[in-house]
Amino acid sequence: MKKTYDRKVFKRKLLSDRRTVTVTIRLFMILLLGFPLLTRAGTVDSTRVGNREVRGKVVDEKKLPIPGVSVRLGGTSMGTATDVDGKFKLLVPADTATLVVSFIGMKTEVVKIPRLKAGVEQKELTIVLREEDVKLEDVVVTGIFTRKKESFTGSASTYSAAELKTMGTQNILQSLKTLDPAFAILEDNQFGSDPNRLPNMEIRGKSSMLGLRDELDADPNQPLFILDGFESTLAAINDLDINRVASITILKDAASTAIYGSKAANGVIVVETVKPEAGKLQVSYTGNMNLSMPDLSSYNLMNAREKLEFERLAGRFEPASWSTTSEVELNRLYNEKLKVIESGVDTYWLAEPLRVGVNQKHSLYVQGGEGNFLFGLGAGYNGVSGVMEKSDRDVISGNIDLIYRMSKFQFSNKFSLTSTDYRNPIVAFSEYAAANPYYKKRNETGTIEKWLENNNFFKAANPLWNASQNSRDEGKNLALTNYFMAEYFPTVEWRVRARLGLTYGNDDTEKFYSRNDTRFENMETIKKGEYRSSNTRTNQVEGELSVTYAKVLGKHRINLVVGGNVSSNKSLTQGYSAVGFPDGDFSYPSFSNGYPENGTPTYYESVSRSVNGYFNTGYSFDDRYLMDFSLRTSGSSVFGTSRKYNTTWSVGLGWNLHKEKFIMDHVGWIDLLKLRASIGNPGNQSFDSAQSLLTYSFQYGSMNYFGLGAVLAQIGNPDLEWQITVDKNIGLDVTLFNKRFSLTADYYYKVTDPLLIKVSTPLSSGTELT
């Protein structure tokens, strides 16, 4: 059973979620307009004969009061505005009167008040305002502020959950790749469809050296991920249940990413999860299943006869150092292979380790609450079976969403838990692809042999043999996140927001290679078999305080955001190996003979801290001429001691041509026609936190009279500069025929200078003595 969503209901839900973001702008505009009306209303002589007082309350569709609503007497400029409880009172003529009730973002209501009969008391009115049908794609969510797309100068694309699901329900990143051409997931022929391999991705190309990854597998070309306003990881986004997603926004150019300045050179992906709705208890369930089938059409490998002929022409059957014995033996081996081919052997190894993967996903969400308290409880399961045998990934998730409102405050908390079990094949697909087609998989009795060929000239292991042993490659991952946010609305134009995010991760991996694996063929008996264990723990703490101001003065619209952010990231990786295992199902370290010779446990700790201050302003005149400016100062421990701080900026300009009279009055089929341009210099911090430090590696084999030797592992650079990318963008947005046709075109030019690259230390640098 799969739950379906009515599109209008879904949009209304998203609009409700954004109310806390836009209410300050709405309230200020109404109060700004309502203040002079209120002043005039207050000057009316309340004792004048023929007037009466009307009292009422304005609420939304959920019966919640709406402050700052304009209530005007029809045909006049007299009016007032509702208070914090949504209530109002207004003097109107004793005969029939009409009230015009309006609020930004909601449909205007016209209420007719009939003449009262003598002796009848005027009852208090209850007026319900309904949301306007504003589409999700008409707003831009940056994770720090939300802006109407029409008044935003940056290049950004927003996609709703419904749009993502039309592209498939297995993975939100794969759906995003199909929807937006600027977001690319790079093909990885080495790992193919491995469900446990995180994809390589980029937005608008690369800004760092190709293929550069550090010890922690951090990719400096990877975009920044923001989940509910907090910095997240690729693994967390990759495993996120698509049913929890409300919207995804891709920020592409400097004007849109500059609010994250020092980390945003590769673009930003902002993910907003669903929030609970008020009302009766609601239970929703979504389940689906799909099949994954291998596609080998891109592989064009030689058949058995072609491969043998290729080897002959390449000189494989010619001895490196000629001798009669070698030549005779090689000719014999060639003739044996040719005889096998003539008998009809042409083995297709590629299909051997593959299967049809059965994937299933289940999601359950319970929500409810009334008035000041809302809650949501969710649970999900995602089972992925890769097309490669023994490649599986099972993800179990749970989340608790809480929202509490009181007076001018709102508190929200999102807690989520994700537990992942994964398993990988012990034999890589490349080993099957490398097996020659003139080899038989099994011998005449149907038994899998250890070697396909093993002599003085050729050695080829049978991948089916190694795959049939009790070897294993598996792991478990636990991720806990808690995001807390407190908002304070002192007046209609101001909003103060404080956020605290805590993230914990624990990843355990185990690899065991059976003593019968071909890799141990020539080892001593007491050293055959190997066990490897690794554990990585991560802790992240992030805190932020921001102040938002929004004001409308006639044709002038002003938005200001000022804030600061501090974060700390710590990662600890440790592991060990054990060798020498008996034959049988004795695959744990307690059965080992000891540690590898000259082997040592691994221990790697990475700590990085940052502090940031940012400022963003948006200005529009008559919704025609637009300007955005961002400034961010960042400090990070990733860079050199003399270069701890850096400032990034961006400027964006826009022109809404569809708001000009020469288009509005003559070309009605143009819904949106906007020109925009931006320039900025976002940075990149996706590097090893120890790159600026001078580090040594101890050499236990270099003991001497002076003590233990240490080799220079990395030359420290206290003047290591920040990597900066100058990003220029010119764009055009077009929407025609009542939004039936849309076009977005961008021209961008990016230059990274300085460009960071890790340079290895040559052995000629010598040995330091400690």
Side-chain angles (χ1 to χ4, degrees):
M1 179 176 68
K2 184 174 182 180
K3 180 180 177 182
T4 60
Y5 293 86
D6 180 78
R7 186 171 180 83
K8 291 186 177 180
V9 174
F10 185 76
K11 294 170 185 173
R12 191 158 59 245
K13 174 183 175 184
L14 296 176
L15 288 167
S16 176
D17 293 341
R18 297 198 307 274
R19 181 171 298 162
T20 56
V21 181
T22 59
V23 68
T24 55
I25 301 176
R26 295 176 175 177
L27 292 179
F28 184 81
M29 291 184 66
I30 297 304
L31 289 181
L32 183 66
L33 298 174
F35 182 76
L37 303 180
L38 181 61
T39 304
R40 294 185 187 182
T43 60
V44 177
D45 184 4
S46 60
T47 63
R48 189 174 63 182
V49 178
N51 283 359
R52 53 175 168 156
E53 185 179 72
V54 175
R55 297 174 180 268
K57 183 177 183 180
V58 181
V59 297
D60 61 14
E61 294 176 279
K62 299 175 183 177
K63 308 303 180 184
L64 297 177
I66 309 176
V69 177
S70 172
V71 182
R72 181 172 53 86
L73 181 62
T76 72
S77 60
M78 298 173 56
T80 184
T82 59
D83 59 18
V84 293
D85 296 319
K87 295 184 177 181
F88 70 91
K89 59 182 178 178
L90 182 65
L91 289 176
V92 300
D95 56 358
T96 303
T98 300
L99 297 182
V100 179
V101 184
S102 61
F103 191 69
I104 295 177
M106 291 187 166
K107 296 180 180 179
T108 299
E109 293 288 337
V110 178
V111 181
K112 188 175 182 179
I113 305 176
R115 180 193 299 269
L116 289 179
K117 296 180 180 180
V120 178
E121 184 179 353
Q122 178 71 54
K123 295 182 180 180
E124 184 174 277
L125 301 175
T126 299
I127 303 172
V128 180
L129 292 185
R130 293 171 175 79
E131 297 270 5
E132 286 185 334
D133 189 17
V134 182
K135 295 185 177 181
L136 175 64
E137 55 265 29
D138 292 336
V139 299
V140 175
V141 181
T142 67
I144 295 179
F145 60 84
T146 299
R147 187 78 54 79
K148 189 178 179 181
K149 187 174 183 178
E150 193 178 64
S151 64
F152 190 60
T153 64
S155 178
S157 300
T158 299
Y159 303 99
S160 67
E163 291 174 301
L164 292 170
K165 291 177 182 178
T166 59
M167 299 296 109
T169 59
Q170 183 174 353
N171 186 282
I172 60 176
L173 295 176
Q174 293 293 335
S175 298
L176 203 59
K177 178 191 72 172
T178 307
L179 287 169
D180 199 299
F183 178 75
I185 295 181
L186 308 181
E187 294 292 336
D188 193 336
N189 293 329
Q190 181 179 359
F191 295 97
S193 60
D194 183 0
N196 299 316
R197 181 74 180 183
L198 294 177
N200 293 326
M201 62 191 63
E202 60 186 39
I203 298 176
R204 291 187 169 184
K206 301 180 184 296
S207 62
S208 298
M209 293 300 295
L210 296 176
L212 178 63
R213 286 176 177 263
D214 61 22
E215 290 86 345
L216 298 179
D217 205 33
D219 186 356
N221 290 300
Q222 182 177 286
L224 176 67
F225 295 96
I226 302 297
L227 178 61
D228 289 324
F230 294 90
E231 187 174 340
S232 188
T233 63
L234 171 58
I237 301 299
N238 188 67
D239 288 336
L240 185 64
D241 183 1
I242 195 171
N243 294 293
R244 287 190 58 204
V245 176
S247 68
I248 295 183
T249 301
I250 304 179
L251 308 179
K252 305 170 185 178
D253 68 339
S256 58
T257 64
I259 198 70
Y260 298 103
S262 60
K263 298 181 179 181
N266 301 318
V268 182
I269 296 178
V270 181
V271 180
E272 292 287 312
T273 60
V274 297
K275 297 179 177 65
E277 291 184 339
K280 295 181 180 180
L281 186 68
Q282 302 178 47
V283 180
S284 61
Y285 165 78
T286 302
N288 60 73
M289 184 181 71
N290 60 75
L291 303 178
S292 298
M293 292 175 284
D295 179 12
L296 300 177
S297 59
S298 60
Y299 288 87
N300 184 19
L301 304 183
M302 290 181 281
N303 59 33
R305 190 177 299 276
E306 291 171 338
K307 183 62 190 306
L308 182 63
E309 180 63 13
F310 174 80
E311 291 178 352
R312 186 187 68 82
L313 295 176
R316 191 178 185 189
F317 296 97
E318 296 177 4
S321 56
W322 187 88
S323 68
T324 303
T325 304
S326 298
E327 184 174 9
V328 170
E329 180 64 16
L330 285 171
N331 284 333
R332 185 186 68 81
L333 293 173
Y334 172 79
N335 290 326
E336 284 185 357
K337 291 179 174 61
L338 184 60
K339 179 181 178 181
V340 169
I341 294 173
E342 294 294 344
S343 68
V345 173
D346 188 8
T347 304
Y348 189 68
W349 287 95
L350 296 186
E352 187 63 31
L354 303 182
R355 66 184 178 185
V356 175
V358 180
N359 310 314
Q360 56 178 318
K361 180 174 292 188
H362 306 274
S363 179
L364 179 68
Y365 193 68
V366 180
Q367 62 180 336
E370 292 290 348
N372 295 331
F373 178 73
L374 306 176
F375 71 92
L377 304 174
Y381 169 77
N382 184 20
V384 182
S385 299
V387 297
M388 185 88 172
E389 290 184 353
K390 297 183 180 180
S391 61
D392 302 286
R393 187 177 187 87
D394 294 320
V395 181
I396 299 175
S397 60
N399 61 286
I400 302 174
D401 304 329
L402 302 174
I403 298 177
Y404 179 69
R405 301 166 180 164
M406 54 176 292
S407 185
K408 297 182 179 182
F409 292 89
Q410 175 170 297
F411 304 94
S412 62
N413 193 86
K414 285 179 171 286
F415 171 80
S416 65
L417 177 151
T418 303
S419 177
T420 305
D421 289 345
Y422 53 91
R423 186 173 61 152
N424 296 304
I426 204 69
V427 179
F429 183 72
S430 59
E431 295 188 31
Y432 291 93
N436 281 318
Y438 50 69
Y439 291 134
K440 295 180 180 179
K441 299 177 183 178
R442 295 169 176 82
N443 59 20
E444 289 74 10
T445 62
T447 304
I448 298 176
E449 294 189 347
K450 189 173 186 178
W451 297 95
L452 298 172
E453 186 174 10
N454 190 5
N455 51 55
N456 293 331
F457 296 94
F458 306 110
K459 179 179 290 187
N462 190 340
L464 294 178
W465 169 271
N466 290 332
S468 64
Q469 304 304 311
N470 62 339
S471 303
R472 68 178 187 277
D473 180 357
E474 58 190 20
K476 295 183 178 181
N477 178 273
L478 176 66
L480 304 174
T481 63
N482 193 82
Y483 298 153
F484 174 77
M485 181 171 65
E487 294 178 292
Y488 172 54
F489 304 90
T491 63
V492 292
E493 65 266 15
W494 290 95
R495 182 182 71 168
V496 181
R497 181 175 66 182
R499 301 191 296 188
L500 176 65
L502 304 174
T503 302
Y504 170 79
N506 187 75
D507 189 24
D508 284 302
T509 61
E510 285 186 342
K511 285 187 179 181
F512 174 75
Y513 296 95
S514 169
R515 64 177 286 109
N516 297 318
D517 193 287
T518 55
R519 71 184 64 204
F520 305 117
E521 179 69 13
N522 297 321
M523 284 190 178
E524 302 177 56
T525 301
I526 60 174
K527 294 182 180 179
K528 290 186 176 183
E530 183 181 12
Y531 174 88
R532 300 176 188 172
S533 176
S534 177
N535 173 261
T536 300
R537 294 194 299 272
T538 57
N539 292 276
Q540 177 177 321
V541 180
E542 182 177 356
E544 184 179 71
L545 178 65
S546 63
V547 179
T548 302
Y549 176 77
K551 187 171 185 178
V552 177
L553 292 172
K555 295 183 178 181
H556 306 276
R557 184 188 299 272
I558 301 173
N559 295 279
L560 300 176
V561 180
V562 179
N565 173 282
V566 293
S567 65
S568 174
N569 294 273
K570 182 177 180 180
S571 174
L572 174 62
T573 300
Q574 49 190 340
Y576 67 95
S577 298
V579 297
F581 288 83
D583 199 3
D585 194 20
F586 303 101
S587 58
Y588 292 95
S590 57
F591 298 104
S592 69
N593 184 53
Y595 298 108
E597 186 176 354
N598 296 325
T600 58
T602 59
Y603 185 93
Y604 185 87
E605 184 177 13
S606 173
V607 179
S608 63
R609 297 183 176 91
S610 65
V611 58
N612 307 273
Y614 57 83
F615 168 77
N616 174 270
T617 180
Y619 169 78
S620 68
F621 174 75
D622 198 23
D623 283 337
R624 290 184 294 165
Y625 309 113
L626 319 172
M627 187 274 292
D628 285 299
F629 174 75
S630 290
L631 186 69
R632 184 181 180 108
T633 297
S634 304
S636 175
S637 61
V638 172
F639 297 97
T641 54
S642 61
R643 303 283 182 136
K644 289 291 186 185
Y645 294 90
N646 183 60
T647 299
T648 57
W649 56 269
S650 75
V651 177
L653 300 175
W655 181 18
N656 283 325
L657 280 83
H658 63 284
K659 293 287 187 178
E660 299 290 349
K661 289 187 177 181
F662 62 84
I663 291 182
M664 293 178 62
D665 297 341
H666 300 90
V667 190
W669 46 269
I670 297 180
D671 303 311
L672 173 67
L673 180 59
K674 181 169 68 173
L675 289 174
R676 48 184 168 76
S678 65
I679 183 173
N681 64 337
N684 191 353
Q685 292 186 29
S686 299
F687 298 95
D688 182 4
S689 62
Q691 274 201 332
S692 63
L693 302 178
L694 182 67
T695 56
Y696 295 90
S697 175
F698 286 113
Q699 299 294 307
Y700 290 92
S702 301
M703 295 291 293
N704 53 63
Y705 178 79
F706 298 99
L708 182 64
V711 174
L712 182 63
Q714 178 177 280
I715 300 177
N717 181 10
D719 298 320
L720 183 66
E721 296 186 50
W722 293 56
Q723 182 168 296
I724 295 296
T725 300
V726 177
D727 188 349
K728 303 175 183 178
N729 187 90
I730 298 176
L732 172 68
D733 296 325
V734 181
T735 303
L736 309 175
F737 309 118
N738 197 23
K739 300 186 178 181
R740 290 184 174 89
F741 173 83
S742 62
L743 170 69
T744 299
D746 281 279
Y747 171 79
Y748 59 91
Y749 182 75
K750 300 197 297 185
V751 176
T752 301
D753 185 21
L755 177 66
L756 300 185
I757 182 173
K758 191 171 184 178
V759 180
S760 59
T761 305
L763 296 177
S764 58
S765 61
T767 301
E768 289 283 334
L769 299 179
T770 59

